[in-house]
Amino acid sequence: MNEVGTIGLIAALAFAAYGVIAGALGGKLRSPRMVKSAERAAAAFFVSITLAIVALETQILTDNFHNAYVAAHSNRDLPLYYKIAVLWAGQEGSLLFWTWLLSIYGGLAVLLNRRKNRQLMPYVVAILMGTGVFFSSITFFVANPFGELSMVSAAGLQAFQPADGNGLNPLLQYHSMVIHPPMLYLGYVGFAVPFAFAMAALITRQLGDNWIRTTRRWTMVPWMFLGTGILLGGRWAYSVLGWGGYWGWDPVENASLLPWLAGTAFLHSVMIQEKRGMLKVWNIVLVITTFFLCIFGTFLTRSGIVSSVHAFAQSNIGPFFAVFLGIVLFFAVSLLFLRLEFLKSENKLDSMVSRESGFLFNNWILLAAVFAVLWGTIFPIISKAIEGQTVTVGAPFFNRVAVPIGLLLLLLTGAGPLLAWRKTSFQSLKRNFTLPLAVAVVVGAALFAGGIRHFYAWMSLFLCAFVAVCILQEFYKGARTRQKTGGENFLQAIYNLTMRNTRRYGGYVVHLGIVLLFVGFAGQAFQAKTKGLMQEGDELRLKDYVLRCSNIVSGDTPNYSYQKIQLEVSKDGRALGTLDPDRRFYKASQQPTSHVAIRSSLTEDLYTVLAGQDPDSGKAIVEVFVNPLVAWVWIGGFVTFLGTLLAMVPSRVERQMAEMRQAQEVAVRASNAL
Amino acid sequence: MRFRLAFVLLLALATLGAGPARAVDPRPTVESIGEHVMCLCGCVAILNHCPHLNCSMQAEMRATIQKALDEGKDEPAILQLLSQQYGVKVLAAPPTQGFNLAAWILPGLGLALGLGLVVVIVRRWRGLRQAPASAETSPDVDPKLLAAVEEEIKTSGLGMRE
């Protein structure tokens, strides 16, 4: 199977290289045959990489430990769903997976544009295949997952197959880890498509709104996947790392946040170009920045230049990524400068208080967040290079720097959509903001009276109330208007309103999801925790909770042995059930890990960890956290996901226009035939 | 002038907002200090968040903090002690001295400069919109032609619409 995989990789590399040449030449010479050939190369690239994926996954599932990658990351007793995830658990496999996802995106871009964007497509294929050349080269030459184990014996070099593999990293043996990396990669890789369209638009000078309209959904899809991947990563950290939180500002976490923030700025900024023909240069800059940050994030995760809980083992792929990043930046920025004259704004700003300026400020905040997080993430490298001193830039730094920026962004989440295009009158401001502000003031006062003195948490909840009312008010006003004019009932009106303009109201749902996320973030300020030594019959108290150890049991599975503590939980004297956090010792990797047990509700999580065993007393060390409002983080993430899906659904108006266009085309074809 | 004033004010706010000043815990505990230092076992996590079971490094560092607390040291003194003992990398955030001050200042500065840029862009855009209205600021327009057009508008009554 290693031979099959290797053949797949070589073929993929060849097809990608051919796709670059045929695409670029086909576009330049305006040769439909050559363009068709380039598109077929993109399809062949997908087939070849799929062959390599099948070859590796087959070896993982059949425990072929002759393959060095399988031996390093899997073992016989690993459950099937974790075996599937072994594909992206290590450097080599995950790079192959990255390349495969790129081939899927490339294939889909070709398929969905076979009858449109014909001038752009040759270059879109060339750019995507160029990225494919880089990733398939890295996978083939530098981090090849089809290496074989061998040993030197008297008879010379012989194939070697160990009886079992080293096993999957225990920290990765958690259900959300099966889906978290694919989601994240779908995000990272997907941003290659808008980048390719932007570059193609620059090359062909087709810099109207067409490339923007075409790439909107191509941007929303990876944005949604990346956001979901980030949250699933947070869920994994919350459930596995055992420190009671979900976001630690680790460099690799930051690396995933950076393109998401830049992509968010782009998704907002494109609206100004669509509506007013403004910010054309800026939109190109944002696409380049987002793609650059995707590759930069991959580089950070894999080069070992920063220390991280999540980073892959140190490897020699860093310089290759650095060169690729340099090429991408040079190519994209040069092209942008060469085409500046075609990117002039069609309109000017009419008022400081307008939707346009709201988007500008939104972009300012998002890019400031990108800069702050990027700066903090790379500062240790800069400090080491300049001062020769290793410093750490961890959560205390980012919490101080990023939280105020986040709160400004939250404010704009509510205020921005209520501003009118071109100019917002004072009357309109008064009409739109009086109720949200009044509700926010009441909520703020109630929170203060309730004893909340943590400034950022208070401000976050105050702004959440403001933004939530801003958004709900928009739904209410729209629905009331429909009720008056169309005689619909309220729910019908809400449904029809949303489906008539999915983009706008889907966006509002996303904003509502962001509000819920911030409600969850605010709760973190009120975390309470305790730690104690326990044996059967012992009790531990935290806030109103009492945890009584009813039993400590040990057990064994083929994959790991475990020790589990059973904690009977009661609150205010009322029994709430049992929590049983455990610690596991994985046999193949010989590594211990803990699995937390959580009792979750909308108001707070009771979070328990079996942290170890006291060497003196032999008692179990138990850590207990009360984490208020955490559930809203996951709910907010889900709402954001749904909102993004909704915004991608073609609205009724869009569908009607598409049908009209189709009817026109049919009529033209019919008249031509006659 | 108003813009400049607002800009300077926001620059100051941004720099202060992102500044290093943090309220020092008057009654520090091992837990509270453990949120501001790193575990040096190789886990790359905050001391309180080390994911390793029975981590010996975590235990050693916590014991050092406890000993310093027992001696009556306050939070800055304990952080200083840890920094001397394990190197500056033990601190979860860069110190506010020398080159490391740049870590704290630049995000605020970036925020303020970004705002300045947005304000400049907005003013420029608005200025450009207004520019053609003035012959003095539009040297490309022939004043005679402009006068003729204005006369034409007057006589045709088009100007009355406004």
Side-chain angles (χ1 to χ4, degrees), chain A residues 1-2 55-56 59-60 64-72 144-149 160-162:
Chain A
M1 278 313 245
N2 286 323
L56 185 58
Q59 294 187 88
I60 294 168
N64 181 4
F65 300 119
H66 178 43
N67 176 296
Y69 181 81
V70 181
N144 194 320
F146 298 106
E148 295 177 344
L149 290 177
F160 172 64
Q161 179 157 346

Side-chain angles (χ1 to χ4, degrees), chain A residues 51-113:
Chain A
L51 187 70
I53 287 278
V54 170
L56 185 58
E57 200 62 90
T58 306
Q59 294 187 88
I60 294 168
L61 296 177
T62 56
D63 298 323
N64 181 4
F65 300 119
H66 178 43
N67 176 296
Y69 181 81
V70 181
H73 298 287
S74 186
N75 64 297
R76 289 188 191 283
D77 292 319
L78 197 65
L80 177 69
Y81 46 97
Y82 289 138
K83 278 190 179 171
I84 294 167
V86 164
L87 177 65
W88 49 81
Q91 178 88 280
E92 298 86 351
S94 62
L95 280 169
L96 178 66
F97 186 59
W98 218 105
T99 318
W100 185 55
L101 294 180
L102 179 69
S103 75
I104 293 174
Y105 272 116
L108 282 174
V110 168
L111 191 70
L112 297 174
N113 288 283

Side-chain angles (χ1 to χ4, degrees), chain B residues 14-27:
Chain B
T15 313
L16 281 176
R22 174 175 67 82
V24 174
D25 197 334
R27 279 174 295 176

Side-chain angles (χ1 to χ4, degrees), chain A residues 105 169 181 196 227 253 274 315 365 402 454 518 523 550:
Chain A
Y105 272 116
N169 182 342
E253 293 170 0
E274 281 182 71
S315 75
I365 297 286
H454 189 287
F518 271 85
S550 61

Side-chain angles (χ1 to χ4, degrees), chain A residues 57 59 65 68 177-178 345 347 349 531 582 607 609:
Chain A
E57 200 62 90
Q59 294 187 88
F65 300 119
M177 279 309 282
V178 177
S345 194
N347 281 298
L349 198 69
K531 192 182 202 174
D582 64 35
Y607 180 102
V609 191

Side-chain angles (χ1 to χ4, degrees), chain A residues 574-624:
Chain A
R574 192 165 51 91
L576 296 177
T578 306
L579 285 176
D580 46 5
D582 64 35
R583 52 188 295 215
R584 298 174 184 181
F585 188 77
Y586 285 85
K587 294 170 186 173
S589 60
Q590 295 285 297
Q591 287 181 48
T593 185
S594 61
H595 269 222
V596 305
I598 304 167
R599 184 184 183 279
S600 195
S601 72
L602 291 180
T603 49
E604 61 190 17
D605 280 12
L606 179 66
Y607 180 102
T608 58
V609 191
L610 178 55
Q613 196 167 21
D614 182 53
D616 301 326
S617 63
K619 288 185 177 183
I621 304 169
V622 177
E623 286 183 326
V624 183

Side-chain angles (χ1 to χ4, degrees), chain A residues 479-544:
Chain A
R480 288 290 294 166
T481 309
R482 284 191 74 91
Q483 273 186 299
K484 281 177 192 161
T485 55
E488 296 165 347
N489 71 43
F490 189 72
L491 286 178
Q492 261 180 334
I494 290 271
Y495 176 78
N496 288 328
L497 181 78
T498 308
M499 295 319 286
R500 190 164 171 79
N501 193 344
T502 49
R503 186 173 173 185
R504 179 176 175 185
Y505 289 94
Y508 287 159
V509 174
V510 170
H511 283 199
L512 207 54
I514 300 293
V515 168
L516 299 180
L517 279 167
F518 271 85
V519 169
F521 298 159
Q524 197 70 6
F526 309 106
Q527 186 187 62
K529 60 183 172 183
T530 190
K531 192 182 202 174
L533 302 178
M534 296 185 93
Q535 62 184 14
E536 265 185 59
D538 285 346
E539 283 185 355
L540 199 58
R541 289 168 188 272
L542 181 63
K543 294 180 85 177
D544 301 330

Side-chain angles (χ1 to χ4, degrees), chain B:
Chain B
M1 191 64 196
R2 273 185 306 151
F3 276 117
R4 280 181 202 158
L5 192 67
F7 178 63
V8 171
L9 192 68
L10 273 158
L11 177 79
L13 281 174
T15 313
L16 281 176
R22 174 175 67 82
V24 174
D25 197 334
R27 279 174 295 176
T29 59
V30 174
E31 288 299 316
S32 69
I33 292 176
E35 286 295 326
H36 298 285
V37 292
M38 305 299 291
C39 179
L40 298 178
C41 70
C43 65
V44 205
I46 296 277
L47 185 66
N48 288 352
H49 307 166
C50 174
H52 295 145
L53 297 173
N54 298 334
C55 174
S56 58
M57 191 68 204
Q58 189 194 35
E60 181 194 309
M61 291 176 72
R62 291 175 77 91
T64 307
I65 297 168
Q66 186 60 60
K67 186 165 171 274
L69 285 170
D70 293 344
E71 288 167 3
K73 288 192 168 77
D74 62 4
E75 190 186 306
I78 294 171
L79 292 178
Q80 173 80 15
L81 173 80
L82 290 168
S83 185
Q84 281 167 355
Q85 197 164 329
Y86 298 105
V88 74
K89 67 182 174 199
V90 75
L91 303 175
T96 55
Q97 292 155 351
F99 176 73
N100 291 319
L101 200 56
W104 292 100
I105 290 174
L106 252 70
L109 204 63
L111 188 72
L113 286 175
L115 177 63
L117 196 67
V118 170
V119 170
V120 167
I121 290 170
V122 167
R123 290 189 75 193
R124 192 161 161 255
W125 277 355
R126 298 196 68 202
L128 279 173
R129 183 178 64 88
Q130 287 153 1
S134 161
E136 284 173 14
T137 54
S138 305
D140 295 342
V141 181
D142 181 355
K144 283 181 189 167
L145 180 66
L146 193 67
V149 170
E150 278 171 358
E151 184 59 30
E152 179 96 19
I153 291 170
K154 268 185 210 165
T155 52
S156 67
L158 284 169
M160 298 300 286
R161 286 181 193 174
E162 290 185 300

